[in-house]
């Protein structure tokens, strides 16, 4: 392999990323438009600058479509559940019930947007937490853009060890490190990710009410972030696969005593400016009486949590559901620069019965049966004076616009990977950066990987082995650089296009993806910088 690591090819490699971000954030193109144009840019660069044959581009495109299926299997059931809840009055019942937990709006936003989202990430992935929580926040009264941006940022800390350690396990599969380096990587990853827990919590509070909210909410943030971040470091010693689930669950239970604290049980009258909210404070909202109670409205999410925990923790059940797999064979392909992607008999095998989408679909189906048997749909249509648009029509109207850009983004990512653009990006940074400078920038490679693939796990699969190689060449501690890659991969999810599209679709704001990214990008930059500084400190300590 003789990839051209020079300024021209490095600039061309990063061009699809820059173009995609510029179109979404600056020009405010829709995700469908930006994704389609991004494919054209990446393919043209691959074909003319990276000597990528058409058959390689075809294989890359097909793999991208298949990769998108994993995300679409979450989006469609999640949107079906959204339609069921919306058309039955479930979200209104839930909103009214939530306000009775506490009269403090900020506390509720933190509880739903941060703590509950993180709990879901601990047991499920593939964007499920965003798809579930965004419509709940809209129902509570948040502006849809904030209802998406808040859970995207807030659950980032749980990405790497979430889904019962999926990112961690995937990373171990692609690197060759000894046991001591493995444990050092686990601890240092948790240390770097703790930054995201604290920074994410403060960002949620800032989005809600700026500095008055910070002054009111800082004790709450410190308590929850300490449970999550420091708890994750401690849980690594027990089992890395539970390192997000255990502290996320502990933070969820901590909400109940915190809700009794007078500071967070009563309205925060000092917070006047609430830019994240659509309405006046919750106690003054004119309410319509939904046909169900709060317990019934929460039933689908309780059921979903039970299904997710059961299928993840009960080993015989997990093994039975995972027994059936499905995938397609792909041939080996190469480029004119000697980059070869090996062939495979079954590429990225899908386990449909253990996939998070299966639990969502079962939840949606059982919810529909219960709600239909109790006549909730017709009752709410009369109360809310809504049209009689069918569930299927509503699902298609929201799911199709969300599916197209996700397929486009994953094709773009696959083209960049198969043509060598991703490797040139990483190698170019390594070539010009001295050791400590590379340590600072190393988490940025993870950020770029997550942005292009919309997956922290995929970012680690793509770049972890490369990061190890560069660490050895620059005489840097392998564990620290690999931890920085893992932390960067999670940070990049805050601006990952597929995650943004998923949230926008479930919040009912397809086409507003650029506005969401304008909310999450500043946090991403700050998290990258702080993680870079922390990485350098770890290098100095452990070298």
């Amino acid at each position: 392999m003789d990839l051209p690591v020079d300024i021209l090819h490095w600039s061309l490699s990063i061009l699809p990323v820059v173009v995609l971000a510029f179109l979404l954030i600056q020009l405010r193109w829709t995700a469908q438009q930006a994704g389609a144009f991004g494919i054209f840019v990446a393919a043209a660069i691959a074909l003319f600058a990276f000597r990528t044959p058409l058959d390689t581009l075809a294989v890359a495109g097909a793999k991208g479509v298949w990769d998108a299926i994993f995300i679409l299997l979450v989006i469609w059931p999640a949107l079906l559940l959204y339609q069921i809840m919306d058309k039955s009055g479930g979200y209104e019942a839930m909103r009214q019930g939530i306000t009775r937990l506490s009269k403090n709006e900020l506390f509720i936003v933190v509880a739903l947007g941060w703590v509950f989202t993180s709990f879901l990430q601990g047991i499920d992935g593939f964007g499920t937490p965003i798809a579930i929580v965004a419509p709940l926040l809209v129902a509570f009264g948040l502006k849809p853009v904030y209802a998406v941006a808040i859970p995207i940022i807030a659950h980032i800390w749980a990405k790497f060890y979430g889904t019962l350690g999926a990112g961690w396990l995937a990373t171990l599969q692609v690197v060759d490190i000894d046991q001591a380096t493995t444990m050092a990587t686990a601890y240092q990853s948790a240390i770097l990710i703790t930054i995201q827990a604290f920074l994410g919590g403060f960002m949620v509070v800032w989005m809600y009410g700026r500095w008055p909210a910070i002054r009111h909410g800082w004790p709450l943030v410190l308590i929850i972030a300490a449970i999550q971040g420091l708890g994750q470091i401690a849980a690594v010693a027990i089992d890395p696969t539970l390192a997000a689930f255990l502290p996320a669950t502990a933070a969820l239970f901590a909400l109940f005593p915190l809700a009794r604290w007078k500071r967070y049980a009563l309205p925060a009258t000092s917070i006047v400016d609430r830019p994240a909210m659509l309405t006046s404070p919750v106690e003054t909202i004119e309410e319509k009486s939904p046909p169900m109670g709060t317990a019934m409205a929460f039933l689908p999410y309780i059921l979903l949590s039970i299904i997710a925990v059961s299928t993840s923790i009960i080993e015989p059940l997990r093994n039975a559901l995972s027994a059936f797999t499905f995938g397609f064979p792909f041939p080996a392909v190469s480029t004119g620069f000697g980059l070869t992607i090996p062939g495979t008999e079954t590429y990225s095998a899908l386990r449909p019965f253990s996939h998070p989408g299966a639990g969502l679909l079962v939840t949606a189906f059982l919810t529909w049966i219960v709600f239909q048997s109790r006549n909730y749909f017709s009752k709410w249509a009369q109360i809310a004076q809504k049209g009689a648009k069918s569930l299927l029509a509503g699902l298609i109207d929201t799911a199709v616009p969300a599916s197209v850009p996700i397929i486009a983004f994953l094709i773009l990512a696959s083209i960049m990977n198969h043509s060598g653009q991703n490797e040139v990006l990483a190698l170019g940074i390594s070539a010009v950066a001295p050791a400590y400078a590379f340590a600072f920038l190393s988490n940025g490679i993870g950020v770029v990987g997550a942005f292009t693939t919309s997956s922290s796990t995929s970012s680690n699969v793509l770049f972890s082995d490369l990061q190890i190689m560069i660490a050895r060449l620059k005489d840097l501690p392998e564990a620290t650089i690999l931890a920085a890659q893992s932390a960067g991969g999670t940070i990049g999810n805050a601006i990952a296009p597929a995650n943004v599209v998923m949230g926008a679709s479930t919040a009912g704001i397809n086409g507003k993806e650029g506005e969401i990214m304008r909310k999450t990008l500043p946090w991403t930059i700050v998290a990258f910088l702080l993680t870079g500084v922390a990485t350098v400190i770890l290098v100095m300590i452990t070298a």
Side-chain angles (χ1 to χ4, degrees), residues 334-389:
S334 61
T335 71
F337 287 118
L339 174 66
T340 299
I341 306 296
T344 177
E345 289 296 322
T346 306
Y347 170 75
S348 190
L350 172 66
R351 293 173 171 81
F353 299 120
S354 60
H355 189 279
L360 273 168
L361 186 60
V362 170
T363 299
F365 179 67
L366 293 178
T367 301
W368 179 82
I369 290 176
V370 173
F371 286 8
Q372 181 68 20
S373 68
R374 293 171 177 257
N375 233 6
Y376 290 155
F377 297 105
S378 59
K379 290 179 180 178
W380 180 243
Q382 293 176 356
I383 295 170
Q385 298 181 344
K386 290 189 175 183
K389 198 171 190 179

Side-chain angles (χ1 to χ4, degrees), residues 218-484:
W218 68 265
L220 182 65
V221 172
L222 291 181
I223 292 170
I224 293 174
I227 293 172
Q228 293 175 340
L230 301 181
Q232 186 164 245
I233 296 173
V236 164
I238 302 172
D239 185 349
T241 63
L242 299 176
F245 172 71
L246 291 178
T249 303
L252 188 67
F253 281 109
L255 288 177
F256 294 97
L258 287 170
R260 295 177 177 272
W261 187 359
K262 186 177 179 180
R263 184 184 185 100
Y264 300 114
L266 301 175
T269 56
S270 61
I271 306 175
V272 178
D273 181 26
R274 300 150 49 252
M277 303 302 294
L278 270 173
T279 63
S280 56
V282 294
E283 65 268 20
T284 65
I285 294 176
E286 181 181 353
E287 297 180 346
K288 296 178 180 178
S289 298
M292 69 183 75
T294 304
M296 183 60 71
F298 270 103
L299 177 64
Y301 301 98
I302 296 172
L303 178 61
L304 177 64
S305 299
I306 292 172
I307 291 174
V309 171
S310 300
T311 56
S312 298
I313 292 181
I314 302 176
E315 188 172 353
L317 178 60
R318 183 178 73 242
N319 292 339
L321 293 175
S322 301
F324 176 71
T325 63
F326 179 74
F328 294 100
F330 283 96
V333 291
S334 61
T335 71
F337 287 118
L339 174 66
T340 299
I341 306 296
T344 177
E345 289 296 322
T346 306
Y347 170 75
S348 190
L350 172 66
R351 293 173 171 81
F353 299 120
S354 60
H355 189 279
L360 273 168
L361 186 60
V362 170
T363 299
F365 179 67
L366 293 178
T367 301
W368 179 82
I369 290 176
V370 173
F371 286 8
Q372 181 68 20
S373 68
R374 293 171 177 257
N375 233 6
Y376 290 155
F377 297 105
S378 59
K379 290 179 180 178
W380 180 243
Q382 293 176 356
I383 295 170
Q385 298 181 344
K386 290 189 175 183
K389 198 171 190 179
S390 68
L391 288 174
L392 181 59
L395 174 62
I396 293 174
D397 284 349
T398 54
V400 171
S403 301
V404 173
I406 286 175
I407 294 171
F409 294 140
L410 271 295
I411 291 175
L412 183 152
S414 188
I415 289 173
M416 291 185 66
N417 181 39
H418 282 65
S419 61
Q421 294 176 58
N422 286 333
E423 289 198 43
V424 168
L425 271 175
L427 291 172
I429 295 172
S430 170
V432 300
Y436 281 106
F438 178 78
F440 177 82
L441 296 171
S442 56
N443 84 92
I445 295 175
V447 173
V448 172
F451 176 79
T452 57
T453 64
S454 291
S455 167
S456 57
T457 300
S458 296
S459 178
N460 276 21
V461 170
L462 283 175
F463 290 125
S464 289
D465 194 47
L466 187 63
Q467 293 264 35
I468 290 288
M469 181 188 73
I470 296 172
R472 290 169 180 168
L473 289 174
K474 293 185 175 292
D475 197 27
L476 291 168
E478 297 172 19
T480 305
I481 299 304
L482 190 54

